[in-house]
Amino acid sequence: MVNLDLRSLTLPVGIIRMLEVVLTCISFSLVASAGHVLSTHWDWCMFTWCFCCFFSLFILIMEFTRFSAKVPISWDDFTTAFAMLAALMCFTSSIIYPTFFTCPTCYRQIAATVISLLCFGVYVGEVVLARLRPGGEISGFLSTVPGLLKILETLVACIIFTSLDPARFSFNPGLQWCVAVYSLCFIFALVIIFLTVGQLLSLFPFSFDKLLTVYNILATMMYMTAMVIWPLYGFENNPRPIPCSHCPWDDLVVVTFMTVINLVIYILDTIYSIKVVFFTWDEE
């Protein structure tokens, strides 16, 4: 027999999650009603709102039916990490969508952008509530600084993927290396996130913190090469066309900029990991 928990819907965090479901549903409904656009940026924004709506509803159902207490993962860590990720995804979509798809008379698109910004604010509110919940701080990895950096790394990589043009890098070994860097680092970051949420770190016969430090150093070095190689080969004999209103050349700039952003995040992640592994131990 399923025991329903009505209190989960009346708590502040429950009310916020219901708002998340409604607002994200309105966002993707408005965008869908405006018509499909053949663009990876449109696909990313639509995926963001659908993904956030689905998982917010999933979390509500799991807590309402009390199934959340039976799952073999750190539930508080999962929900807080999701709220952080959703807030970042909604924020990026609130920037990308109006940049590419709105105009002064595009009222549905403008409304979707405004509601997406409200989604961002609501998810931030959930994160704040999670931090202020009675009993102290959240202990899960994904709710710590390195965990948040891992979420940022995967999010920036997703933005890079939405801006990649296969026709551009298919026959260029230098750009193919950059795509390999983005893909490998993205996959390993996801694996780390899944291992922590699934509480599988105890299966490792060695220190997870040391492994994380080694990975961060390698990922930083790989991103350094991508930061140099991508603009070197991407813009070689490829000046900006005139006119160019959101043309493929702009995607090259987006990838270059996001590569630098992710490199900075990986550097911060590496510094923090080194501090935790070496300097914390020295203090003890």
Side-chain angles (χ1 to χ4, degrees):
M1 183 177 177
V2 177
N3 294 319
L4 301 181
D5 184 9
L6 292 174
R7 186 170 175 270
S8 66
L9 301 179
T10 58
L11 290 172
V13 69
I15 295 171
I16 281 181
R17 284 174 182 153
M18 287 190 286
L19 281 174
E20 293 165 358
V21 173
V22 172
L23 291 175
T24 50
C25 182
I26 293 173
S27 290
F28 75 70
S29 298
L30 284 170
V31 173
S33 66
H36 177 262
V37 179
L38 208 59
S39 166
T40 54
H41 298 296
W42 189 93
D43 294 338
W44 166 254
C45 295
M46 197 60 154
F47 168 77
T48 292
W49 297 315
C50 292
F51 172 84
C52 293
C53 181
F54 172 80
F55 273 97
S56 294
L57 183 60
F58 171 75
I59 291 170
L60 271 176
I61 293 172
M62 290 292 287
E63 295 196 341
F64 179 62
T65 57
R66 299 182 188 268
F67 284 148
S68 59
K70 301 177 182 179
V71 294
I73 64 172
S74 174
W75 184 253
D76 289 340
D77 196 23
F78 168 74
T79 55
T80 306
F82 166 73
M84 291 178 181
L85 177 61
L88 294 169
M89 290 175 70
C90 287
F91 179 71
T92 56
S93 295
S94 300
I95 296 173
I96 292 172
Y97 188 77
T99 301
F100 288 94
F101 307 111
T102 60
C103 63
T105 56
C106 301
Y107 301 117
R108 292 181 187 178
Q109 290 87 335
I110 293 172
T113 302
V114 172
I115 294 173
S116 182
L117 285 170
L118 291 176
C119 294
F120 164 68
V122 173
Y123 279 112
V124 170
E126 182 181 345
V127 174
V128 171
L129 279 180
R131 292 291 182 181
L132 296 177
R133 72 178 54 170
E137 299 182 354
I138 302 165
S139 59
F141 169 78
L142 294 180
S143 303
T144 62
V145 172
L148 178 58
L149 291 175
K150 280 284 166 284
I151 294 173
L152 280 172
E153 290 159 7
T154 55
L155 175 66
V156 174
C158 286
I159 297 173
I160 290 174
F161 292 143
T162 63
S163 302
L164 291 176
D165 181 8
R168 177 72 61 184
F169 63 79
S170 295
F171 304 101
N172 190 312
L175 298 184
Q176 287 175 354
W177 163 253
C178 296
V179 175
V181 169
Y182 305 142
S183 302
L184 287 172
C185 293
F186 174 74
I187 291 170
F188 279 107
L190 277 183
V191 169
I192 291 170
I193 290 173
F194 289 143
L195 288 174
T196 53
V197 170
Q199 297 181 321
L200 300 174
L201 301 183
S202 59
L203 300 178
F204 281 84
F206 43 80
S207 171
F208 176 72
D209 288 335
K210 289 185 178 179
L211 175 64
L212 199 59
T213 302
V214 172
Y215 160 74
N216 286 334
I217 293 172
L218 290 175
T220 300
M221 294 172 64
M222 292 169 68
Y223 257 91
M224 283 180 178
T225 63
M227 184 187 68
V228 175
I229 294 173
W230 181 266
L232 183 65
Y233 286 95
F235 296 107
E236 185 181 21
N237 300 322
N238 184 26
R240 191 174 194 268
I242 300 175
C244 175
S245 178
H246 309 313
C247 62
W249 193 90
D250 289 341
D251 288 335
L252 292 174
V253 178
V254 172
V255 174
T256 303
F257 179 73
M258 288 299 163
T259 301
V260 174
I261 294 295
N262 230 8
L263 173 61
V264 173
I265 297 172
Y266 273 106
I267 290 173
L268 293 174
D269 202 356
T270 303
I271 293 172
Y272 195 92
S273 298
I274 292 173
K275 176 180 178 295
V276 169
V277 171
F278 296 103
F279 293 95
T280 303
W281 285 11
D282 289 344
E283 289 175 2
E284 293 176 356

